[in-house]
Structures are given as structure tokens and as C-alpha cells.
Amino acid sequence: MANTDSARKRSRQADKQRRHNSALRSTLRSALKEVNKAISGGDKEVAKQALSRSASIVDRIADKKIIHKNKASRHKSRLSAAIKAMSAVKATP
């Protein structure tokens, strides 16, 4: 337990920041799930729109250093590749 006033305040601030970061991570996961759901649905246009919405959320959260920028890039790249693979499957009858 914190013994000084400054340590108590720092503990309060850390708890508040942890809750905020947790909410942002939840937003990130929801955005990624939205794209994955669109991909599994099979509609490429809907998946592209979901990716464009999610990409800005992922970048915003990476800018705030909730996740590393390389992790954000990896998520976007894998989702984009999955969407591109959708067309390859549909193009071959």
C-alpha cells in the first residue's frame, strides 16, 4: 500500500490509466473481430469497408502506444491478405 500522498495519487492515476488502456484494447479487439466476421461472411466489399474502418482504429491505438506499431501493421497486413485471398477463391469457378 502506498504510504505517501504522492504515492497514493500515483496509484490512483495508474489505475485510471489502466482502465482507459483496457477500454482501448477492447475497442481494438472489437474492430478486428468485425473484419474477421465480414471475411467469414464471404462478402468482399463489406470486408473491405470493415477493414478501412478498423485500420484507422488500429493506427490510432498504435499512436497512443497501447500496442506496438509493428503489431498494428501486422494485424492490418494479415487482414488485407485474407481479403485478397477471398477474390482468388471466388475468381476460380
Side-chain angles (χ1 to χ4, degrees):
M1 183 66 197
N3 291 323
T4 63
D5 289 343
S6 60
R8 286 187 197 100
K9 179 178 179 181
R10 195 66 211 143
S11 178
R12 286 193 309 269
Q13 288 175 328
D15 187 51
K16 182 178 179 182
Q17 190 63 45
R18 180 187 56 77
R19 287 191 310 258
H20 183 253
N21 290 346
S22 177
L24 290 175
R25 271 191 299 275
S26 176
T27 302
L28 169 73
R29 291 182 187 125
S30 297
L32 296 176
K33 284 177 188 175
E34 178 190 355
V35 179
N36 283 323
K37 186 176 178 183
I39 290 170
S40 65
D43 190 353
K44 187 174 180 182
E45 289 306 314
V46 172
K48 280 184 178 181
Q49 291 171 359
L51 178 62
S52 110
R53 285 191 302 271
S54 296
S56 67
I57 292 171
V58 171
D59 286 335
R60 228 177 310 138
I61 290 173
D63 286 342
K64 294 177 183 180
K65 300 191 174 161
I66 306 301
I67 62 170
H68 195 274
K69 63 180 182 171
N70 291 354
K71 182 175 182 175
S73 181
R74 185 173 64 241
H75 279 302
K76 293 189 305 181
S77 176
R78 288 181 180 169
L79 291 172
S80 179
I83 291 172
K84 284 183 183 178
M86 288 173 67
S87 66
V89 172
K90 289 194 173 210
T92 55

